Amino acid sequence: MSMHWGRKAAPTTESIMSVRTRFAPSPTGFLHVGGARTALFCYLFARRHGGDFVLRIEDTDRERSTQESVDAILHGMDWLGLDYDEGPVYQTQRFDRYKEVIQDLLDRDLAYYCYCSRERLDALREEQKAAGLKPRYDGRCADGVASPPEGVQPVVRFRNPKDGVVQFNDAVRGEVTISNTELDDLIIARADGTPTYNFTVVVDDLDMNITHVVRGDDHVNNTPRQINIMRALGASEPQFAHLPMILGPDGQRLSKRHGAVSVLQFRDDGYLPDALLNYLVRLGWSHGDQEVFSRAEMIDLFALDGVNKAAATFDMDKLGWLNQHYLKESAPESLTSAFEYQLQQMAVSLANGPDLGEVIVAQRERAQTLREMAEQSVFYFQEPDGFDEGAAKKHLRPVAAEPLLALRARLTDVSDWQAETLGVIVNDTVEALELKLGKLAQPLRVALSGRAATPGIDITLALVGKERTLARIDKALAFIKERAKQA
Ligand code: GLU
């Protein structure tokens, strides 16, 4: 591999030859919504410009990186459908390359060995703090160490420019200027020879020809350091875009305290990948006042100049609203496997139940998530666990016995067990008894589902099926009788 990098001019958003973005998570936890939003923006930008999207796993911190996290990240990306063109590239497989570049910097005196002990550095930091100064390495080893202390493995420090400024034009934040006096000679290789984050990122972004570094703004302070290293390596920097923070409703940085933040948790909670992506694209990006974006539209419309500077607040209600929108808009057959997953999580056997697509159509006006939908649909598949107390008290009263019996009598002969036919029968029954529909429909709902709210009574009868409907009416009648006795 070459030590010099081809790209000499910083790319601009307009004059892009071939866009290459990367998502570079550290596998120290699950894929959270902040990471997923970064991945989405990188993905969209690459797709928008017909470029490539690379997945890089930054696993050099071997103590904190776990295979479980790697799997969760890959799984989360896959579930969201954020497909990458290259990778996953693992940094732990590139140690030889990092060593090679570190050696090159040492050879060219752009980096140096530092033998300062932890004690010395700690004391220095304390001194500087006490004097009201920003803690930074004082450059003791910068001019060479005449007699290196024996048995001490040195770290390698990058020789940061002493003066001048680092300036870059962030696609989100605009011009950012930092004085080199604010920066110090940062460690690029630890005493055990392993490279550090700010260094591996630079080597990788250059080796991978990344044109646009889109990442969270928690990295904005690293950027000038990385730019200095890039320049020392004879390369120019990519276009940076630092995305605004995501906050919880209390104004604090979004975290587990605020509820679900893991992408796979959202899946388990019954959200659809398209809804989550649509939600995430609007977290810090806007296109007029449009809220609903298909994936194709996102790709078509995404631009870095639409990214907001201000932090974005995570809003579960809006996500719920979008999720319901997608539940209603999607072809039911495209939702059945995710719905089945929810029912399985609840240990509901689907063996004798109705068609999942029909249940989805019956329920989707009433549920914001597939989980909610599953919870409200258990009775279509198995016997309800008794009657909801309030519902039974209100609706399974002696006056309900007559209409339920009358309906039962009419239902026994029905061979065409379809919602339409059943709806007509229910209406005929109440008409014959000169009752309002609710006087039959409500007790019947409770009989069939155990609760007072279900989808339309006609479709509910159809989905519960004839045999189980008759048995459940009998059970409700027995309950009413028992209750009358006790009264
Ligand atoms: N590995 C870093 C992180 O997970 C991201 C580095 C980058 O995007 O430059 O925060």
Side-chain angles (χ1 to χ4, degrees):
M1 258 188 263
S2 143
M3 204 61 78
H4 298 284
W5 284 271
R7 178 157 41 71
K8 292 290 181 219
T12 64
T13 324
E14 291 76 31
S15 67
I16 299 155
M17 297 294 287
S18 174
V19 163
R20 287 173 62 83
T21 61
R22 87 306 194 270
F23 174 49
S26 304
T28 54
F30 43 72
L31 177 63
H32 54 85
V33 285
R37 184 195 57 171
T38 301
L40 173 64
F41 284 17
C42 292
Y43 162 89
L44 292 176
F45 190 74
R47 293 286 168 272
R48 169 79 187 86
H49 294 281
D52 289 325
F53 171 48
V54 183
L55 177 63
R56 183 167 80 217
I57 304 291
E58 304 209 320
D59 55 350
T60 54
D61 184 343
R62 284 165 150 162
E63 266 169 29
R64 296 180 58 226
S65 302
T66 64
Q67 186 57 43
E68 203 187 344
S69 300
V70 172
D71 294 342
I73 291 166
L74 299 181
H75 200 154
M77 297 284 287
D78 185 53
W79 180 70
L80 287 170
L82 296 177
D83 45 309
Y84 31 92
D85 305 287
E86 283 172 34
V89 177
Y90 294 88
Q91 287 192 321
T92 41
Q93 293 181 0
R94 290 177 42 80
F95 277 139
D96 288 347
R97 174 62 176 156
Y98 304 135
K99 264 201 185 118
E100 184 183 28
V101 182
I102 288 168
Q103 193 56 53
D104 172 63
L105 287 172
L106 284 166
D107 292 347
R108 293 195 287 136
D109 199 31
L110 295 167
Y112 59 88
Y113 289 113
C114 169
Y115 295 86
C116 291
S117 65
R118 171 117 318 274
E119 293 72 44
R120 169 169 196 273
L121 296 174
D122 286 347
L124 177 66
R125 184 173 314 113
E126 287 314 312
E127 242 172 68
Q128 288 169 331
K129 271 203 217 152
L133 300 169
K134 191 173 160 187
R136 57 203 298 272
Y137 181 59
D138 62 355
R140 149 108 45 121
C141 299
D143 299 325
V145 177
S147 47
E150 222 159 281
V152 174
Q153 283 297 321
V155 300
V156 178
R157 286 186 186 271
F158 170 67
R159 212 181 276 288
N160 198 77
K162 292 232 167 351
D163 35 42
V165 294
V166 191
Q167 220 167 33
F168 65 97
N169 195 12
D170 189 278
V172 179
R173 308 179 137 225
E175 189 128 302
V176 179
T177 307
I178 280 104
S179 162
N180 274 317
T181 56
E182 294 273 312
L183 308 172
D184 62 359
D185 292 351
L186 84 140
I187 296 175
I188 55 174
R190 303 182 186 90
D192 65 3
T194 57
T196 58
Y197 160 72
N198 275 307
F199 178 73
T200 54
V201 165
V202 164
V203 175
D204 287 351
D205 285 341
L206 295 179
D207 275 349
M208 295 171 188
N209 286 314
I210 299 302
T211 57
H212 293 74
V213 169
V214 180
R215 61 184 172 196
D217 70 359
D218 46 330
H219 285 289
V220 76
N221 290 333
N222 290 318
T223 305
R225 299 174 184 281
Q226 294 176 10
I227 290 175
N228 279 335
I229 302 176
M230 287 179 173
R231 290 179 183 167
L233 288 169
S236 58
E237 62 271 17
Q239 171 72 57
F240 289 96
H242 289 95
L243 307 177
M245 265 201 287
I246 303 177
L247 307 177
D250 57 357
Q252 301 295 314
R253 187 181 275 269
L254 188 70
S255 75
K256 272 191 219 168
R257 286 185 299 115
H258 297 106
V261 284
S262 143
V263 163
L264 294 178
Q265 184 64 48
F266 282 98
R267 176 201 60 187
D268 290 352
D269 289 350
Y271 292 89
L272 299 172
D274 281 347
L276 188 56
L277 286 182
N278 192 151
Y279 181 69
L280 290 176
V281 83
R282 287 283 294 105
L283 256 189
W285 176 79
S286 52
H287 178 76
D289 52 12
Q290 187 171 341
E291 290 293 355
V292 177
F293 296 87
S294 67
R295 190 181 295 249
E297 265 178 313
M298 286 184 209
I299 292 174
D300 205 38
L301 298 171
F302 186 78
L304 289 173
D305 58 16
V307 176
N308 310 328
K309 284 193 182 61
T313 303
F314 201 86
D315 177 352
M316 279 305 281
D317 291 342
K318 189 168 161 196
L319 174 59
W321 175 81
L322 272 170
N323 203 56
Q324 184 164 39
H325 169 84
Y326 283 91
L327 285 177
K328 288 196 265 192
E329 294 292 309
S330 306
E333 55 278 16
S334 71
L335 303 174
T336 50
S337 67
F339 185 46
E340 190 173 336
Y341 174 79
Q342 292 296 332
L343 289 162
Q344 278 164 352
Q345 297 295 97
M346 296 165 60
V348 173
S349 162
L350 309 181
N352 302 308
D355 178 73
L356 292 179
E358 287 180 34
V359 178
I360 292 169
V361 172
Q363 291 282 30
R364 60 183 171 183
E365 298 286 337
R366 319 173 54 88
Q368 283 202 328
T369 65
L370 285 169
R371 158 86 66 85
E372 230 176 273
M373 191 185 272
E375 283 165 358
Q376 292 171 13
S377 300
V378 177
F379 75 92
Y380 289 125
F381 301 89
Q382 62 189 35
E383 288 309 303
D385 289 339
F387 304 113
D388 170 80
E389 214 183 297
K393 200 166 170 199
K394 187 156 177 215
H395 301 296
L396 296 186
R397 290 188 292 153
V399 285
E402 192 193 0
L404 282 175
L405 267 172
L407 177 73
R408 194 197 188 287
R410 288 175 188 244
L411 290 178
T412 39
D413 296 333
V414 176
S415 53
D416 176 30
W417 198 266
Q418 302 289 336
E420 206 178 319
T421 321
L422 296 162
V424 172
I425 294 175
V426 170
N427 282 327
D428 287 352
T429 309
V430 290
E431 262 171 43
L433 295 172
E434 293 183 11
L435 290 174
K436 279 196 190 145
L437 178 64
K439 296 287 176 207
L440 171 57
Q442 282 310 94
L444 183 56
R445 278 207 160 88
V446 182
L448 295 176
S449 70
R451 41 170 93 191
T454 69
I457 200 65
D458 50 353
I459 182 70
T460 294
L461 282 165
L463 292 173
V464 170
K466 181 170 178 178
E467 215 177 295
R468 289 189 299 187
T469 293
L470 297 179
R472 290 183 195 180
I473 291 177
D474 288 344
K475 216 170 167 181
L477 285 167
F479 178 91
I480 293 171
K481 208 167 171 186
E482 190 58 31
R483 186 171 168 184
K485 256 197 259 163
Q486 281 166 13

